[in-house]
Amino acid sequence: MPADATGGSDAIAEALGSLPSGTPVSEVARRLLDLFTSGDIAPGTRLPAERQLAASLSVGRSAVREALAALEMLGIVDVRPGSGTYLRGEASALLPQTLRWGLLIGERNTAELIELRSGLEIYVARIAATHASAEARETIARHLDEMRAAGDDLQAFAKADFAFHLALADAAGNGTLRDLLHVVRSLLQVYSDRAVHTREQAELALAEHEAVARALDANDADAAASAMAVHMVTAGERLAESAR
């Protein structure tokens, strides 16, 4: 029977069991994910404190903290400062068991995810060129303006960059494709810093995004796909480098 939403911390901790010494963060995250998507914990349940989880798993608190941060990025848990960490209601729907392998990212799987993301982004750009509404195009243009206005604030640039890709996926009008791309992006972000690291990289990325936007405005699916393919080469190289 699922635990209620106001208690069950001791039961959750007991259900986890200890892990071998030296267990990597990815395995800690997988052990937590297995329990959280089992259906035995009610949505909204407040999870045990980091200290209690670390003791139950026989790992350091830093490993638990990083694992929870990964699961928060994936939408599995909700971390509320000053209150605690809670299980989100849609955990099983957001991350089907068939995508669990993504939490076990090693060097090979990182490369495969970068390749998968590239293919998805290129296809999104292609169909967005013919499906995007006027409102969607305005949203994409606004995020481009935010990228231009970011200047030397690379964090603001990265935020606008991410919003551009989200808006592009929304413009494509395929909910399943958008959700899959979101999962792939999130898995990559868990382990690598996606942000550009220099002003020169930001300027190059901006030019590449502008090329995609021009193709969208021209309703040119081939040009949009080609422009995104060029962007994915440089973006993929940055991500692969930061993952090493």
Side-chain angles (χ1 to χ4, degrees), residues 89-136:
E90 62 270 33
S92 296
L94 281 175
L95 192 66
Q97 293 190 11
T98 53
L99 289 176
R100 288 189 194 179
W101 55 267
L103 286 170
L104 302 175
I105 296 175
E107 183 177 351
R108 180 178 63 84
N109 282 338
T110 300
E112 289 177 359
L113 281 173
I114 291 173
E115 185 177 83
L116 176 59
R117 183 203 166 198
S118 176
L120 292 173
E121 293 276 15
I122 291 169
Y123 184 59
V124 160
R126 175 177 292 280
I127 60 177
T130 55
H131 287 69
S133 65
E135 182 180 0

Side-chain angles (χ1 to χ4, degrees), residues 11-99:
I12 293 172
E14 291 175 4
L16 287 170
S18 62
L19 290 169
S21 176
T23 297
V25 172
S26 59
E27 181 61 24
V28 175
R30 188 166 71 89
R31 176 65 65 86
L32 292 171
L33 180 64
D34 284 342
L35 179 62
F36 296 164
T37 59
S38 67
D40 293 332
I41 306 175
T45 295
R46 187 176 186 273
L47 305 178
E50 286 180 5
R51 184 186 303 105
Q52 189 176 4
L53 289 172
S56 299
L57 291 165
S58 300
V59 298
R61 289 183 63 181
S62 62
V64 170
R65 187 178 304 113
E66 290 179 38
L68 288 175
L71 295 180
E72 181 185 23
M73 189 172 291
L74 292 170
I76 303 300
V77 300
D78 180 20
V79 178
R80 305 174 191 172
S83 177
T85 302
Y86 297 80
L87 181 67
R88 291 174 60 96
E90 62 270 33
S92 296
L94 281 175
L95 192 66
Q97 293 190 11
T98 53
L99 289 176

Side-chain angles (χ1 to χ4, degrees), residues 186-201:
S186 297
L187 289 170
L188 286 169
Q189 284 181 298
V190 167
Y191 297 95
S192 301
D193 183 0
R194 181 181 178 279
V196 294
H197 299 289
T198 68
R199 178 65 183 270
E200 290 73 22
Q201 289 179 343

Side-chain angles (χ1 to χ4, degrees), residues 107-233:
E107 183 177 351
R108 180 178 63 84
N109 282 338
T110 300
E112 289 177 359
L113 281 173
I114 291 173
E115 185 177 83
L116 176 59
R117 183 203 166 198
S118 176
L120 292 173
E121 293 276 15
I122 291 169
Y123 184 59
V124 160
R126 175 177 292 280
I127 60 177
T130 55
H131 287 69
S133 65
E135 182 180 0
R137 294 169 194 269
E138 290 175 2
T139 300
I140 291 169
R142 184 174 71 252
H143 294 313
L144 266 180
D145 288 339
E146 293 168 352
M147 293 169 71
R148 296 187 186 101
D152 292 325
D153 188 344
L154 297 181
Q155 185 174 1
F157 182 92
K159 182 178 180 180
D161 181 340
F162 186 67
F164 176 97
H165 284 276
L166 288 180
L168 192 65
D170 286 339
N174 185 316
T176 300
L177 179 59
R178 179 196 62 219
D179 291 345
L180 179 57
L181 188 50
H182 173 69
V183 170
V184 173
R185 286 198 202 101
S186 297
L187 289 170
L188 286 169
Q189 284 181 298
V190 167
Y191 297 95
S192 301
D193 183 0
R194 181 181 178 279
V196 294
H197 299 289
T198 68
R199 178 65 183 270
E200 290 73 22
Q201 289 179 343
E203 290 175 350
L204 176 59
L206 174 58
E208 292 169 350
H209 284 78
E210 288 174 335
V212 173
R214 285 195 298 272
L216 257 66
D217 289 340
N219 297 320
D220 191 331
D222 288 339
S226 296
M228 182 59 77
V230 170
H231 175 52
M232 284 295 101
V233 170

